[in-house]
Amino acid sequence: MRPAPTATPGATTPPASPTPARTPTPPSAGQGLAAAVSAFTAAAFVQFDITGTYAFTSTGQLFTVELSGRGAIARPDRFKSVLTGQYDSFFGFYKVGRELRCQSPKGTFSPPECTPAFGAPGKGGSPYLAVLYLQNPTAVRDLGLETVGGRRLRHFAFKPDTARILAQEPGVGPIFDRLDIAAEVWVDPAGNLPQRLDIRVSQPGQEGTELWTMSLRFRDYGQPVQISLPAQ
């Protein structure tokens, strides 16, 4: 009698390895600030308070000038800012469409003397330019969440893309070559709206470096505001 054939055990297939779960890639700092810039430019109206300090040396003595004021944006093309301070300092800037008006203790004047760079002491630090800096960031760094005024805000540091700004506003003129500009912004994560913008502009002066530091605190997003040109 023939022996019963023995069954050859079949090769077992190893169980499939589970597909590893993908860890979401966190957005880059540039993407995070880009979302805030998008929310900022989408707001039809924005108002802001301004504080600033201008430090310079004259006849061997260091002077500091404290200034404060307010400003507003009404999109698509209206802007105003007014700064006043010590030593009869006064800077007013208004833009309605393509028309500009500037104000100083000497009166109200138009282009070519009035440019988008006017509105603060020194060069490159006007509130209008500060808003353009925010809307054209580069070299962005995400500094994380911070408690500011009892609120948790996202803190970014960046440099303004001055080449892009000059392409948008050629009337600014060749002012950026000798300037060192740094910026920081604090954003409310809930709505991605900027709450505070700090600008630091250093430039060579006749007796050393001149420094202008300015803070814009944004408020009243979406609340209508009227902006018109002052009479000359």
Side-chain angles (χ1 to χ4, degrees):
M1 180 182 295
R2 294 182 179 180
T6 58
T8 302
T12 58
T13 303
S17 300
T19 303
R22 290 188 175 183
T23 302
T25 303
S28 67
Q31 290 175 321
L33 183 52
V37 170
S38 178
F40 179 77
T41 55
F45 303 97
V46 187
Q47 297 185 59
F48 51 90
D49 300 314
I50 314 166
T51 56
T53 301
Y54 185 53
F56 63 97
T57 301
S58 177
T59 63
Q61 183 178 355
L62 177 65
F63 291 87
T64 58
V65 182
E66 304 289 338
L67 299 103
S68 62
R70 291 184 176 182
I73 302 167
R75 304 197 194 278
D77 55 10
R78 292 175 181 251
F79 181 98
K80 71 174 181 181
S81 65
V82 176
L83 272 175
T84 60
Q86 300 161 287
Y87 309 109
D88 296 325
S89 301
F90 176 62
F91 300 89
F93 176 77
Y94 299 80
K95 182 177 186 294
V96 175
R98 296 185 178 182
E99 292 191 71
L100 308 180
R101 293 286 190 280
C102 293
Q103 292 179 318
S104 75
K106 297 180 179 180
T108 302
F109 51 99
S110 300
E113 291 79 17
C114 177
T115 78
F118 186 86
K123 296 180 179 179
S126 72
Y128 182 76
L129 284 180
V131 170
L132 289 183
Y133 296 160
L134 174 59
Q135 295 176 176
N136 295 275
T138 187
V140 179
R141 292 182 292 129
D142 187 341
L143 303 180
L145 287 169
E146 295 180 6
T147 300
V148 181
R151 304 170 63 189
R152 295 290 282 173
L153 303 178
R154 178 71 67 180
H155 184 191
F156 296 94
F158 65 95
K159 291 280 191 178
D161 188 335
T162 54
R164 193 189 312 168
I165 291 167
L166 283 174
Q168 295 173 4
E169 286 285 356
V172 168
I175 64 169
F176 294 126
D177 292 345
R178 304 180 69 194
L179 302 184
D180 181 18
I181 307 170
E184 296 177 77
V185 62
W186 287 260
V187 176
D188 183 355
N192 271 336
L193 288 172
Q195 303 299 305
R196 171 179 163 184
L197 172 66
D198 284 5
I199 302 295
R200 184 180 187 276
V201 182
S202 59
Q203 57 194 339
Q206 294 182 348
E207 298 185 35
T209 300
E210 300 176 1
L211 179 63
W212 168 240
T213 56
M214 178 177 62
S215 181
L216 276 61
R217 295 178 183 267
F218 300 108
R219 57 179 172 83
D220 295 333
Y221 280 98
Q223 298 298 314
V225 59
Q226 298 295 322
I227 299 175
S228 57
L229 296 173
Q232 285 186 287

